[in-house]
Amino acid sequence: MSGEGRRTGGRFPRCVLFDLDGTLLDSAPDMVATVNRMRAARGVSPMPLAQLRPHVSKGARAMSAAAFPGLGGEVPPELIREFLDVYAEELGRHGAAFDGIEAMLAALEADGARWGIVTNKPEYLARGLMPALGWESRSGVLIGGDTLAERKPHPLPLLHAAGAMGFAVADCVYVGDDERDILAARAAGMRSLVALWGYRLEHDDPRAWQADTMVESPQALLEPDAWP
């Protein structure tokens, strides 16, 4: 079926599912504040945003490993728990939606499309962000990393989200900034779009992820032709 066929009744895809951190939300400042509180508690100097930002989409374990490189990547469970506890206190205090996200979401809504969120962030943390962003009643679904038995890159969260919103997979596009987002979409048979404005490590190569398309900025998604 052609892209236009899947857009019957509107200019944009009928259902768009988004990753959260690094896609809709610039949450790096909240996570950096979290890391530097943990380091300060141990008498260690703060780390700069630029050093930590690429790790944000990888989650609590990766952020904890980046915060304490002396661990050699071996992060004990209690350190991850500490990160999540401190992060819950910093949640929404420093970060914000990326520039252009609100205009893009408004354009989808004005076209009659619906959107939702599928993230690997724990659901309670993701839900805690929604009121401050004004998204709690606008997002048609919110799936966290612990909502279901599987998390991305497994396709279950995307398949469940599409079904919960009443859409076939063919009606949906998934937007994310990490390879596991694209792997999940491909495994679900869902069209995918790489958010190049998000967080990536130096060795990450989005071209190798085999998404349907890549986009440089949220503003570009105001154009219907930018969507796969």
Side-chain angles (χ1 to χ4, degrees):
M1 185 181 291
S2 71
E4 287 305 312
R6 286 189 291 259
R7 296 179 191 178
T8 301
R11 301 165 64 232
F12 295 97
R14 294 298 81 206
C15 176
V16 182
L17 299 172
F18 295 97
D19 175 47
L20 184 58
D21 299 311
T23 301
L24 292 178
L25 185 67
D26 186 6
S27 53
D30 288 352
M31 294 201 185
V32 171
T34 298
V35 161
N36 285 332
R37 276 183 57 181
M38 294 171 66
R39 288 174 62 86
R42 293 163 172 79
V44 184
S45 62
M47 295 178 76
L49 174 63
Q51 188 172 350
L52 291 167
R53 190 178 188 277
H55 300 273
V56 170
S57 281
K58 307 296 183 185
R61 181 180 298 276
M63 288 297 295
S64 300
F68 300 101
L71 295 174
E74 297 294 325
V75 183
E78 59 269 21
L79 194 65
I80 297 174
R81 183 75 258 166
E82 180 184 350
F83 177 91
L84 291 172
D85 289 345
V86 176
Y87 178 57
E89 297 176 1
E90 298 294 337
L91 196 69
R93 293 183 59 193
H94 315 278
F98 283 103
D99 288 344
I101 288 294
E102 280 298 338
M104 182 265 294
L105 294 178
L108 291 175
E109 292 166 349
D111 192 51
R114 297 183 64 206
W115 61 274
I117 295 170
V118 180
T119 175
N120 274 5
K121 183 192 287 294
E123 184 179 337
Y124 78 97
L125 290 173
R127 288 201 182 278
L129 286 162
M130 295 299 103
L133 293 163
W135 294 347
E136 70 272 28
S137 62
R138 295 168 63 191
S139 175
V141 70
L142 173 57
I143 305 296
D146 54 357
T147 303
L148 304 169
E150 301 286 353
R151 55 192 281 163
K152 300 176 296 181
H154 197 281
L156 178 63
L158 298 187
L159 295 172
H160 183 90
M165 292 180 67
F167 288 97
V169 168
D171 295 320
C172 302
V173 174
Y174 188 57
V175 183
D177 69 307
D178 190 81
E179 183 177 17
R180 66 188 170 196
D181 299 325
I182 308 308
L183 290 173
R186 287 170 52 201
M190 189 176 292
R191 289 169 290 157
S192 60
L193 186 155
V194 178
L196 291 174
W197 60 86
Y199 310 130
R200 293 193 305 279
L201 298 173
E202 187 176 353
H203 64 265
D204 286 340
D205 180 9
R207 292 169 298 182
W209 302 347
Q210 300 181 46
D212 290 291
T213 192
M214 302 186 294
V215 176
E216 292 284 349
S217 71
Q219 290 85 349
L221 293 177
L222 294 173
E223 296 297 328
D225 288 345
W227 295 85

